[in-house]
Structure formats: C-alpha cells, structure tokens
Amino acid sequence: MEKETILVVDDERNIVELARMYLENEGFRVESAADGGVALEKARTLKPALVVLDLMLPVVNGWDVCRKLRTESDIPILMLTARSDDVDKIVGLELGADDYLIKPFNPRELVARVKAILRRTTRTPVTTAVLSHGNLTIDLQKREVRIDSHPIDLRTREFDLLYLLMENHEIVFSREQLLDKVWGFEYYGETRTVDVHIARLRDKIKSSDVSIETVWGIGYKLVSN
C-alpha cells in the first residue's frame, strides 16, 4: 500500500524533524516546508493526505495559507499555534482548519491527532440514505446538500454535523456527544470547536426550513422553522 503523505509546515527545523521521526515511524511519508509560499506550492503538487500547519510563518503566514488552501481543496489541516489564546484557535477553525495543537506538544499526541483526522475525513458512507426536512435535503452517499434545488457547499465536518442532526431531528446532543459522534472519540480538542462549526452551519442553512437551536446548558438540536 502506498504511504500517505503528510506535509509539515514549520520554520523551526527541530519541530519538523521531531514530527518527521514520529510520523515516519507510524508509516507516513513526510514532506516539509519552512515558509507559507513553499507550503502552498507543495500542497498543490504533492496533494498530501494532511497538512500540519504552523501559524507563525515567513513569506506567507499560516492563516493565509489555510485560507488559500480552503479555496482550492478540502485537504485536512492540523494547525499549530505557539499561543493558547482562544482567538488564534477560533480564527484558525473559522478559516477551515480541522483541529489545532498548541506548542510545545507531545509528538505522540500529534500522531494521534493526525490519525484521528484522517479516519474522520476518509470515512466511507455505509448507507445511501437521503434525508429531507422541508426544503433541505441531504444525500449521504453523494455528500450533497440542497436547499430547494440549490446546492450548499459544506466542509466535511459541517456535512457530518448536519447529517447527524437531521437524522435525529428534535433530539438534543451535548457538545461532548457531537465531538464523539462527528469528530471521533480520540479527538483531543475543546468543545468550542463544535460551537464554531455550528455557527458556520447555521449561516449556510439560514434560508432553509430548519434551524439549529441552542438548548442552554445542554447542547444543540435541529428543529423545523
């Protein structure tokens, strides 16, 4: 079987080599880039399975790299940040990162997060179910969402969230349950990740006949308008 390629983008050589050692020990092929410009070129040519992306980069910063990659592809992105500020995490997630890791990090946690993201993003649908509520339709096999006849562009996790909520219409899920069912039980992130994705999803389906309601102190549910 061909090894999956992980692109590690960081201008700190010791971090790149540490990540390379642990990821290669787990059977991955590792490529690297020390600045955002090279990172974009390599992402386009290598088409890696996942990008480990530092935010503080020369030439082109990590936020801009993330933003650009999201306009071109759905490559999973694990964001690295040297600061624990919520703002950095939220901006990165809103730009389309799938997860984040704060420096300094345990390289075993890096490997675990990479594996968990790849499992989530390569999951194969096991049913051909098509769900509809009002004018909103979601096709699991085709990975398509439509409001009336208009297609809605959802990212991987947004689609999975919407499908779960539609399949369980009017049922409340806590943030922890959503993390478990959509991100996977090995996900190490904070529940704020759910809030960011829910906010984006709400905006994208606001013209539909359903909405995502906050149940204060508990979580979220999908309701008919």
Side-chain angles (χ1 to χ4, degrees):
M1 187 191 308
E2 186 177 350
K3 293 182 178 180
E4 291 181 297
T5 299
I6 306 298
L7 176 59
V8 179
V9 185
D10 201 303
D11 61 340
E12 296 183 60
R13 185 175 179 81
N14 62 322
I15 288 193
V16 171
E17 293 309 313
L18 183 64
R20 183 190 303 278
M21 179 175 66
Y22 276 80
L23 288 167
E24 288 183 346
N25 282 343
E26 293 296 322
F28 295 104
R29 175 171 172 260
V30 176
E31 295 285 341
S32 64
D35 68 66
V38 174
L40 286 170
E41 292 175 7
K42 287 197 171 185
R44 290 163 181 154
T45 56
L46 298 173
K47 300 189 184 307
L50 182 143
V51 177
V52 178
L53 177 65
D54 185 34
L55 291 180
M56 304 304 292
L57 293 170
V59 184
V60 181
N61 66 49
W63 289 282
D64 288 339
V65 171
C66 184
R67 183 184 296 109
K68 187 63 176 173
L69 285 178
R70 274 295 160 265
T71 66
E72 300 175 357
S73 73
D74 210 20
I75 296 174
I77 298 171
L78 173 58
M79 174 178 69
L80 299 180
T81 174
R83 301 191 301 177
S84 59
D85 295 352
D86 280 349
V87 172
D88 277 0
K89 304 172 193 173
I90 293 170
V91 170
L93 291 168
E94 287 180 339
L95 289 175
D98 294 85
D99 195 1
Y100 64 85
L101 191 57
I102 298 172
K103 295 179 178 180
F105 56 83
N106 184 323
R108 292 187 178 87
E109 184 178 354
L110 170 69
V111 172
R113 286 176 183 265
V114 165
K115 287 182 173 181
I117 293 170
L118 290 176
R119 276 195 293 273
R120 298 195 304 266
T121 55
T122 58
R123 186 165 50 201
T124 302
V126 295
T127 177
T128 58
V130 176
L131 300 176
S132 294
H133 286 293
N135 64 348
L136 180 65
T137 301
I138 184 168
D139 187 316
L140 181 59
Q141 186 176 37
K142 294 180 180 179
R143 304 286 291 186
E144 291 180 349
V145 176
R146 292 180 179 274
I147 297 176
D148 293 319
S149 59
H150 306 292
I152 306 300
D153 183 26
L154 297 185
R155 294 169 181 162
T156 301
R157 223 52 55 222
E158 294 166 356
F159 181 95
D160 293 341
L161 263 175
L162 181 61
Y163 188 85
L164 177 66
L165 293 171
M166 285 188 68
E167 192 176 32
N168 298 275
H169 188 246
E170 295 285 356
I171 294 177
V172 180
F173 287 92
S174 68
R175 292 170 177 80
E176 290 76 13
Q177 288 174 318
L178 292 173
L179 279 175
D180 178 45
K181 293 179 180 295
V182 175
W183 278 261
F185 71 93
E186 290 181 313
Y187 181 74
Y188 291 89
E190 298 176 358
T191 56
R192 185 180 294 274
T193 300
V194 175
D195 298 335
V196 171
H197 282 75
I198 288 288
R200 282 204 304 253
L201 189 53
R202 276 176 168 156
D203 184 63
K204 291 182 178 182
I205 66 170
K206 62 186 178 184
S207 62
S208 75
D209 293 333
V210 299
S211 58
I212 301 172
E213 181 179 293
T214 300
V215 181
W216 296 108
I218 303 177
Y220 300 102
K221 67 177 179 179
L222 191 80
V223 297
S224 299
N225 293 332

